[in-house]
């Protein structure tokens, strides 16, 4: 059986890739995908723990998280479309009207 | 056949206020479908909020938990629910005319606000990390939309998208944190975590500390503590002003409700947290205040000021214990009043055409609107913590709680920060009272709704400052009802 630590390392690595992607990528769609990657890394950790501890809570939580992620995706993509209509770009660097 | 109702202890009596808000949001959404009745949405929203507030006050003193121990009804949660609802009511009054002028007065706005309030109420009531997470999401997703509601405005677009990305980013941290806590303890229930704490801390210290740190980062983003505050000014400046007023008060209070519940109740035995909060509080106060000094936009200045106020409330988390929680609740009520008042005046001024809330647009205001300027001055004095306003009493309780627990340096830094903040608050008063306008200043037109909002907040700011006793007793009675 694969030890739980292996799953956790994978989850943390995925989470790290996602976080670095959010901080470095300039395209909003890519940014959004990176956030989804982070959420799913957390899901993976949840399932791994759930399996290791022999409780079902983690599995259930994953379903709730998937639902939340879907709601976020709906709102996020709608917003990206709205701003694309106004500005015709989804490069996040171009969105810098508000600045100190 | 298992009797699920009693097995899970489903008790709808615990969540009557939440149900009221949810049903109202559905009704408002229906009304928004039809052009004829959509102008009723604000009235229906108000009725829903008042009903929910009434149900909430009826719960006072009642204690119980249900839904498989995921929802707890206690005085702590009830006070916070009342704060959210009162803040929302004030925001409904405050935004009415602004939204009409900008063409944003639609049922969806109110429906989103109601759903967001529902999320906050779920957060304040939850005794389980997953319910807390769901409440946070129910609160946040409508807020993203509200920030970007003014679709034609490029600033509003930008605020919405920035808020969305930062919010979703922080959610991921929170979720991974919850996963680690789940891994350490095998449960997400705060009560079980508290009961088994010594076992968890001895067997899985790495998971526990990683989880706590990640959860702290997640909430740190939501309440805008300093290393994670970068989105706050942009979002506050770009969003439509009534929405900003809502942002600066209700979600912040909800974030603090969650922080207090998780860290003062749940992880109270993680001793290093006090030091972490010490650093966060000092950073948040100082950076917020120093950056506020150099702003030329009133909304942006108020955004930085709200960061520094979050720093003052974080002092309560450093101290911990019942007195500090009471002081934090008192401060949040006070902050709700004077901050909404300040944003109320800004909202009113922005209904003048072409107004962007720059400092120089305040010039000559005392000539055109003397009473309004006096009210603005009152809120600015309260924000900077002058007696006899409630701002002074709130700061006094927070810092005296810190002093009693021996946090002398923290108190000194906090008080010095208050002195620094006087500069930029008084700058508003100075500009509006003593600076001459360049052309002929345009008077702001008062509407009945905004007068109601300003009267409520002004009476709250002064009245609670002169007679703080009742509110203090209330906040001291607002304890965690979880043994």
């Amino acid at each position: 059986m694969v030890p739980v630590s292996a799953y956790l390392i994978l989850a943390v690595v995925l989470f790290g890739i996602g976080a670095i992607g959010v901080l470095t990528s300039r395209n909003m769609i890519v940014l959004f995908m990176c956030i989804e990657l982070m959420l799913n890394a957390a899901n993976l950790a949840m399932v791994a723990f759930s399996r290791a501890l022999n409780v079902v809570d983690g599995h259930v939580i994953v379903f709730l998280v998937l639902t939340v992620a879907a709601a976020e995706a709906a709102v996020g993509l709608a917003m990206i479309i709205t701003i694309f209509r106004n500005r015709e770009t989804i490069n996040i660097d171009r969105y810098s009207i508000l600045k100190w | 056949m298992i009797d699920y109702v009693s097995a899970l202890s489903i008790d709808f009596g615990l969540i009557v206020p939440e149900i009221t808000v949810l049903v109202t949001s559905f009704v408002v959404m229906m009304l928004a479908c039809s052009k004829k009745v959509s102008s009723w949405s604000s009235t229906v929203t108000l009725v829903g909020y008042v009903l929910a507030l009434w149900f909430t006050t009826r719960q006072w003193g009642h204690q119980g938990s249900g839904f498989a121990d995921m929802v707890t009804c206690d005085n702590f949660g009830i006070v916070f629910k009342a704060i959210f609802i009162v803040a929302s009511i004030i925001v409904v009054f405050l935004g009415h005319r602004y939204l009409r002028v900008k063409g944003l007065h639609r049922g969806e706005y109110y429906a989103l606000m109601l759903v967001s309030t529902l999320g906050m109420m779920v957060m304040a009531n939850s005794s389980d990390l997953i319910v807390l997470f769901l409440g946070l999401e129910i609160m946040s997703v409508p807020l993203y939309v509200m920030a970007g509601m003014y679709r034609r405005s490029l600033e509003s677009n930008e605020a919405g998208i920035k808020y969305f990305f930062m919010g979703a980013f922080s959610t991921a941290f929170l979720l991974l944190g919850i996963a680690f806590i789940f891994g350490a303890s095998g449960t997400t229930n705060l009560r079980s975590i508290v009961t088994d704490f010594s076992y968890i801390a001895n067997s899985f210290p790495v998971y526990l500390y990683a989880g706590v740190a990640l959860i702290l980062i997640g909430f740190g983003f939501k309440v805008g503590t300093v290393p994670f505050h970068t989105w706050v000014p942009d979002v506050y400046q770009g969003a439509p002003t009534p929405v900003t007023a809502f942002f600066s008060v209700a979600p912040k209070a909800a974030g603090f409700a969650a922080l207090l519940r998780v860290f003062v109740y749940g992880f109270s035995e993680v001793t290093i947290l006090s030091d972490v909060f010490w650093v966060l509080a000092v950073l948040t106060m100082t950076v917020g205040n120093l950056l506020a000094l150099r702003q030329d936009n009133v909304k942006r200045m108020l955004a930085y000021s709200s960061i520094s106020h979050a720093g003052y409330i974080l002092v309560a988390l450093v101290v911990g214990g019942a007195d500090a929680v009471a002081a934090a609740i008192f401060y949040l009520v006070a902050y709700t009043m004077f901050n909404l008042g300040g944003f109320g005046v800004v909202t009113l001024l922005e209904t003048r055409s072409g107004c962007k809330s720059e400092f120089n647009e305040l010039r000559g205001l005392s000539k055109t609107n003397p009473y309004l300027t006096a009210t603005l001055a009152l809120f600015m004095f309260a924000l900077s913590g002058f007696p006899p306003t409630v701002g002074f009493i709130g700061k006094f309780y927070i810092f005296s709680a810190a002093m009693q627990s021996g946090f002398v340096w923290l108190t000194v830094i906090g008080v010095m920060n208050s002195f620094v903040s006087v500069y930029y608050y008084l700058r508003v008063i100075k500009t509006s009272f003593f600076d001459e306008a360049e052309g002929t200043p345009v008077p702001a037109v008062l509407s009945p709704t905004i007068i109601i909002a300003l009267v409520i907040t002004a009476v709250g700011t002064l009245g609670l400052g002169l007679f703080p006793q009742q509110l203090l007793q209330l906040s001291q009675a607002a304890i965690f009802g979880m043994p």
Side-chain angles (χ1 to χ4, degrees):
Chain A
M1 193 180 143
V2 186
V4 67
S5 56
Y7 289 106
L8 280 185
I9 291 168
L10 177 62
V12 171
V13 167
L14 280 179
F15 193 87
I17 293 174
I20 293 168
V22 170
L23 298 175
T24 55
S25 83
R26 303 279 60 115
N27 185 311
M28 283 187 194
I29 304 285
V30 177
L31 222 124
F32 189 69
M33 280 156 56
C34 290
I35 287 175
E36 291 291 306
L37 191 62
M38 292 168 77
L39 287 176
N40 283 319
N43 277 346
L44 181 62
M46 208 79 93
V47 174
F49 279 129
S50 192
R51 182 113 167 107
L53 298 164
N54 248 331
V55 281
V56 286
D57 295 28
H59 303 303
V60 180
I61 292 167
V62 167
F63 282 106
L64 297 175
V65 175
L66 286 178
T67 320
V68 165
E72 256 179 8
V75 167
L77 291 176
M79 283 172 97
I80 293 176
I81 289 170
T82 320
I83 65 166
F84 182 76
R85 280 195 190 139
N86 280 346
R87 297 276 292 272
E88 308 230 318
T89 173
I90 49 167
N91 184 334
I92 196 103
D93 282 344
R94 304 289 298 279
Y95 288 84
S96 54
I97 316 172
L98 303 163
K99 233 195 229 165
W100 54 298
Chain B
M1 172 94 191
I2 310 165
D3 182 6
Y4 285 106
V5 175
S6 58
L8 296 175
S9 62
I10 288 175
D11 178 6
F12 287 108
L14 293 175
I15 54 166
V16 176
E18 282 86 347
I19 294 174
T20 317
V21 172
L22 181 67
V23 170
T24 319
S25 78
F26 285 163
V27 173
V28 172
M29 243 181 281
M30 298 284 197
L31 290 179
C33 296
S34 154
K35 274 239 155 58
K36 269 186 226 153
V37 287
S38 70
S39 59
W40 290 20
S41 45
S42 49
T43 319
V44 175
T45 308
L46 274 180
V47 172
Y49 273 136
V50 171
L51 266 178
L53 185 61
W54 190 71
F55 287 131
T56 309
T57 50
R58 295 270 303 196
Q59 285 184 333
W60 177 258
H62 176 86
Q63 277 195 9
S65 67
F67 298 94
D69 220 9
M70 288 182 159
V71 173
T72 289
C73 181
D74 56 5
N75 283 354
F76 176 81
I78 291 167
V79 165
F80 270 100
K81 285 197 280 184
I83 295 176
F84 308 145
I85 298 174
V86 170
S88 308
I89 291 176
I90 297 173
V91 171
V92 170
F93 279 119
L94 180 149
H96 190 265
R97 186 172 141 74
Y98 177 96
L99 296 170
R100 290 211 176 242
V101 170
K102 305 272 175 184
L104 294 172
H105 193 270
R106 286 190 295 252
E108 294 92 328
Y109 170 81
Y110 295 104
L112 288 169
M113 203 166 125
L114 282 158
V115 175
S116 181
T117 317
L118 169 72
M120 296 168 202
M121 292 164 80
V122 172
M123 272 173 90
N125 254 359
S126 60
S127 51
D128 189 289
L129 289 172
I130 284 309
V131 178
L132 193 73
F133 166 76
L134 288 177
L136 186 86
E137 284 303 300
I138 299 172
M139 170 185 96
S140 301
V141 172
L143 290 180
Y144 305 148
V145 184
M146 281 170 87
M149 266 205 71
Y150 196 3
R151 277 184 306 192
R152 276 174 303 155
S153 148
L154 297 181
E155 285 93 352
S156 179
N157 289 168
E158 196 176 314
I161 207 80
K162 280 185 177 167
Y163 193 28
F164 170 73
F165 280 124
M166 291 318 278
F169 188 55
S170 67
T171 300
F173 281 95
L174 179 69
L175 197 66
L176 190 66
I178 294 176
F180 275 116
I181 295 293
F182 173 69
S185 62
T187 174
T188 49
N189 192 297
L190 280 176
R191 200 186 315 246
S192 321
I193 291 172
V194 172
T195 321
D196 302 337
F197 190 82
S198 49
Y199 170 71
I200 298 167
N202 287 327
S203 344
F204 304 103
V206 179
Y207 294 164
L208 178 75
Y209 285 109
V212 168
L214 286 164
I215 291 180
L216 185 60
I217 292 174
F219 283 130
F221 268 109
K222 291 288 168 192
V223 296
T225 61
V226 151
F228 321 111
H229 70 290
T230 42
W231 60 273
V232 176
D234 288 356
V235 172
Y236 281 27
Q237 189 186 353
T241 317
V243 178
T244 311
F246 189 61
F247 277 2
S248 69
V249 171
K252 197 156 266 195
F256 275 108
L259 270 178
L260 289 168
R261 177 91 77 185
V262 173
F263 290 110
V264 177
Y265 172 76
F267 299 115
S268 57
E269 288 176 53
V270 184
T271 40
I272 195 173
L273 270 176
S274 178
D275 298 332
V276 175
F277 279 123
W278 196 97
V279 175
L280 280 182
V282 168
L283 271 178
T284 310
M285 285 191 275
T286 316
V287 174
N289 273 323
L290 291 182
L291 289 177
L293 289 175
R294 43 173 291 185
Q295 301 307 321
D296 286 320
N297 184 294
V298 181
K299 254 167 107 178
R300 212 172 167 80
M301 183 277 278
L302 283 174
Y304 281 111
S305 113
S306 87
I307 295 176
S308 69
H309 281 276
Y312 301 137
I313 304 170
L314 278 175
V315 171
L317 279 144
V318 180
V319 180
D323 279 350
V325 173
I329 292 174
F330 188 98
Y331 200 88
L332 276 166
V333 176
Y335 172 76
T336 303
M337 286 299 160
F338 52 68
N339 207 46
L340 278 182
F343 271 111
V345 178
V346 175
T347 311
L348 176 59
L349 295 178
E350 277 202 7
T351 52
R352 302 183 295 182
S353 65
C355 188
K356 293 228 176 212
S357 298
E358 298 297 327
F359 257 99
N360 53 25
E361 289 165 2
L362 288 171
R363 288 180 182 175
L365 189 68
S366 62
K367 303 278 191 309
T368 54
N369 297 77
Y371 295 113
L372 184 68
T373 321
T375 329
L376 178 65
L378 170 70
F379 295 132
M380 289 302 138
F381 279 125
L383 279 163
S384 48
F386 273 95
T389 61
V390 72
F392 171 73
I393 316 256
K395 280 205 179 104
F396 177 76
Y397 283 138
I398 292 247
F399 289 131
S400 65
M403 271 308 264
Q404 272 163 18
S405 305
F407 291 97
V408 180
W409 276 109
L410 188 63
T411 316
V412 170
I413 295 171
V415 172
M416 280 181 30
N417 263 299
S418 305
F419 281 126
V420 173
S421 74
V422 171
Y423 171 78
Y424 57 84
Y425 292 126
L426 288 192
R427 189 174 156 212
V428 174
I429 300 177
K430 182 216 156 221
T431 316
S432 52
F433 270 101
F434 303 114
D435 286 5
E436 294 293 329
E438 276 152 16
T440 19
V442 190
V445 184
L446 288 154
S447 66
T449 45
I450 198 127
I451 291 176
I452 294 173
L454 290 180
V455 166
I456 297 174
T457 47
V459 167
T461 307
L462 258 187
L464 293 175
L466 294 171
F467 309 102
Q469 207 55 41
Q470 246 103 36
L471 179 59
L472 187 66
Q473 279 166 3
L474 194 80
S475 47
Q476 276 166 347
I479 41 168
F480 300 114
M482 305 192 292

